[in-house]
Amino acid sequence: MSKQVPDKAYFVEMVYTHMGIIYKICNLYAAVDDREDLKQEIIYQLWKSYPTYRGDSKFQSWMYRVALNTAMLGLRARKMKYTRLSDHDLEIPEDPFENQDQEIRVRQLYRQISKLKDLDKTIIFLYLEQCSYDEIAEITGISTKNVSVRLVRIREKLRAKLHIQNTAP
Amino acid sequence: MKKDELIHMWQEGNDRMFRDEKTDREMITQYLNEKTLKGNRNINFNLVFYGAIQVANIILLSMNLAGYMNNPAMVWVLISQIAFTIGILVFGMDIFYKFREINNYSDSLQNLIQKQLWFFRKPYEVWLVLASVSAIILMTNVNLYIDNDNGTYIINNKVMFVGVTLAAFLIIYGAQKMTSLLGLRRLKAYLADLQQGALDQSQRMERSRRQYFWLWVAVFIFLTASLVFGILIALR
């Protein structure tokens, strides 16, 4: 990959492969009406920052960083929409073959995460995406120890709200 | 080792939530083209607008220099203004470059906010003053060009001249400062939020923002009215 001339086809392919990251971030940080805008903004910012991607870190990690920064600084800092996600914002497709309790729990998980402060939301999001503590620290710019301490607190809070027993390592 | 139940719920929920999402490669490419063009247009407009003022200044200053060539005092005034304008032009280009740098979202969140804060506190503040001075230079040079009387420019009322110039500077600077202050205050609050892990400060900011907006509108109207009043008195 050339740093000077970004390979657009490769970039599009990589973004397409990891599109789920963008969907999840849009779902967490934007209300329904702003979601499409945020999706486009993230893709644009990824492309704009692409020449700085050195390839020494995982594309996925780099994508998390740019997408989260865009969601927080690009959209939220500009519009200052501290929207709490409503049931309408958390539409889950109807599926008669699935357990309804499960659906309710997923909705609750999203709602509880959306109520967290922005930094905590980012930390738990990256944790749920199974990023390592080091990766979370690198993306957010806070220390690994701080990530660890915060995660314990956030997970406890979420478990309490969702009435889940502690099964985590 | 058993996987955290939260991770399990998250994965399962997302698999269901996004299974109907359809963003294909063509759509990504299309977004990219639309957004890239839009982004470039915004940057280009700012660059062209800022550059145009400086170029207009340099052209006017050169014309005035030719017109006031037989007035040694004016020659020195105009040469220093040309040097100053070229300096502002170079500094402005550097500011735009820095601005693009701080909007590169591939840095860590904390670093990014620190950089943005530094930019708005230091170079951008200087640029606000210089951009206002540029506008004043433009205004003054239009007058110098129109009122050139065989290389002589007479200021009939020095106090009024200084007053009007100062008021114009304050209005231009004030308007720019007010606009930038909103962004800076929001960023400061946001950084504090991230450091302290609380959103309260930003939410308070959002509430007070509207109050400040109307206060600034009132200040702007007052300053404009003062300027118009001053001009009317001068015309009598």
Side-chain angles (χ1 to χ4, degrees):
Chain A
M1 186 185 61
S2 166
K3 275 190 209 172
Q4 303 302 323
V5 185
D7 184 346
K8 198 170 184 177
Y10 176 78
F11 171 81
V12 170
E13 191 57 40
M14 290 302 276
V15 170
Y16 176 73
T17 309
H18 299 292
M19 202 59 205
I21 293 174
I22 299 176
Y23 292 145
K24 286 176 232 173
I25 290 174
C26 289
N27 230 30
L28 268 185
Y29 287 88
V32 171
D33 296 345
D34 294 326
R35 227 164 265 170
E36 184 62 26
D37 278 352
L38 180 58
K39 185 171 80 178
Q40 291 188 31
E41 183 71 19
I42 288 173
I43 293 172
Y44 167 67
Q45 290 297 340
L46 284 166
W47 176 241
K48 214 177 100 178
S49 305
Y50 188 52
T52 63
Y53 171 62
R54 290 189 293 273
D56 51 0
S57 62
K58 280 193 293 183
F59 186 86
Q60 211 172 329
S61 299
W62 172 81
M63 198 168 160
Y64 277 125
R65 189 187 307 173
V66 177
L68 284 165
N69 285 339
T70 307
M72 284 188 277
L73 294 175
L75 187 87
R76 288 170 73 83
R78 200 164 57 226
K79 293 189 176 180
M80 293 298 281
K81 281 190 176 176
Y82 286 93
T83 319
R84 296 278 179 251
L85 299 183
S86 63
D87 282 341
H88 174 67
D89 292 326
L90 295 168
E91 277 176 8
I92 297 175
E94 293 289 330
D95 192 339
F97 299 103
E98 290 287 338
N99 183 351
Q100 206 183 359
D101 285 349
Q102 217 170 32
E103 184 176 316
I104 292 168
R105 278 156 66 86
V106 172
R107 280 179 190 275
Q108 283 176 339
L109 175 63
Y110 258 93
R111 193 172 300 112
Q112 292 306 327
I113 293 173
S114 78
K115 284 178 185 173
L116 295 171
K117 297 149 201 160
D118 268 10
L119 184 58
D120 288 350
K121 194 190 288 182
T122 303
I123 291 169
I124 193 69
F125 166 73
L126 292 168
Y127 167 77
L128 294 172
E129 290 288 297
Q130 303 192 60
C131 291
S132 69
Y133 285 14
D134 286 338
E135 272 180 301
I136 299 174
E138 199 192 322
I139 291 166
T140 56
I142 62 175
S143 68
T144 311
K145 194 182 173 189
N146 199 349
V147 169
S148 161
V149 171
R150 278 172 179 269
L151 263 176
V152 170
R153 204 188 61 221
I154 301 165
R155 282 188 308 194
E156 273 174 9
K157 197 172 172 180
L158 286 177
R159 284 196 193 99
K161 296 276 183 187
L162 299 166
H163 310 291
I164 296 171
Q165 284 188 328
N166 192 354
T167 55
Chain B
M1 191 183 290
K2 194 177 175 185
K3 193 193 273 182
D4 189 341
E5 178 71 9
L6 290 171
I7 294 177
H8 178 71
M9 280 175 70
W10 175 256
Q11 284 175 340
E12 202 170 70
N14 285 318
D15 287 346
R16 299 189 64 205
M17 284 178 89
F18 305 121
R19 68 184 170 192
D20 293 333
E21 289 279 2
K22 299 228 182 321
T23 305
D24 56 28
R25 295 172 183 84
E26 284 73 31
M27 284 168 82
I28 294 171
T29 311
Q30 196 187 340
Y31 290 154
L32 219 57
N33 294 337
E34 284 172 6
K35 293 296 289 187
T36 306
L37 282 172
K38 198 179 167 188
N40 284 342
R41 269 202 301 271
N42 290 340
I43 293 164
N44 287 342
F45 175 77
N46 288 337
L47 276 171
V48 167
F49 183 74
Y50 180 81
I53 289 181
Q54 306 308 325
V55 170
N57 265 345
I58 291 169
I59 292 170
L60 257 175
L61 280 162
S62 307
M63 286 163 72
N64 281 333
L65 192 62
Y68 289 92
M69 198 52 95
N70 55 356
N71 185 336
M74 283 303 289
V75 166
W76 280 112
V77 169
L78 291 166
I79 285 175
S80 16
Q81 283 189 9
I82 288 174
F84 185 75
T85 303
I86 292 169
I88 295 175
L89 185 64
V90 173
F91 183 74
M93 295 302 141
D94 186 51
I95 286 287
F96 277 108
Y97 177 75
K98 281 195 175 82
F99 186 69
R100 290 183 72 176
E101 284 288 295
I102 61 158
N103 280 305
N104 181 350
Y105 290 151
S106 58
D107 206 345
S108 79
L109 181 64
Q110 202 83 334
N111 279 347
L112 207 55
I113 294 171
Q114 296 282 11
K115 278 183 189 173
Q116 290 198 354
L117 272 174
W118 171 82
F119 174 82
F120 285 111
R121 277 178 183 156
K122 306 278 178 179
Y124 188 69
E125 281 294 318
V126 177
W127 183 80
L128 283 181
V129 177
L130 295 181
S132 308
V133 174
S134 293
I136 298 300
I137 289 177
L138 184 67
M139 195 178 87
T140 312
N141 275 282
V142 170
N143 286 336
L144 279 177
Y145 183 75
I146 294 168
D147 297 338
N148 186 355
D149 184 17
N150 292 322
T152 313
Y153 180 75
I154 299 164
I155 301 169
N156 294 321
N157 188 334
K158 285 174 185 150
V159 175
M160 186 58 71
F161 177 81
V162 172
V164 169
T165 307
L166 202 63
F169 172 79
L170 286 175
I171 288 172
I172 296 164
Y173 176 73
Q176 291 187 106
K177 179 76 179 168
M178 283 171 198
T179 315
S180 75
L181 212 61
L182 279 175
L184 186 58
R185 280 165 58 89
R186 274 189 286 169
L187 268 177
K188 275 182 186 171
Y190 203 69
L191 180 65
D193 285 342
L194 289 168
Q195 283 172 334
Q196 294 164 15
L199 272 178
D200 294 355
Q201 199 176 344
S202 286
Q203 285 167 337
R204 275 202 304 276
M205 285 284 309
E206 182 61 9
R207 280 196 295 273
S208 67
R209 204 180 139 208
R210 286 184 185 166
Q211 294 169 352
Y212 272 102
F213 173 76
W214 289 113
L215 177 71
W216 288 336
V217 167
V219 170
F220 183 76
I221 290 169
F222 174 75
L223 286 172
T224 311
S226 305
L227 179 66
V228 172
F229 184 69
I231 292 168
L232 286 175
I233 289 176
L235 288 174
R236 271 185 200 170

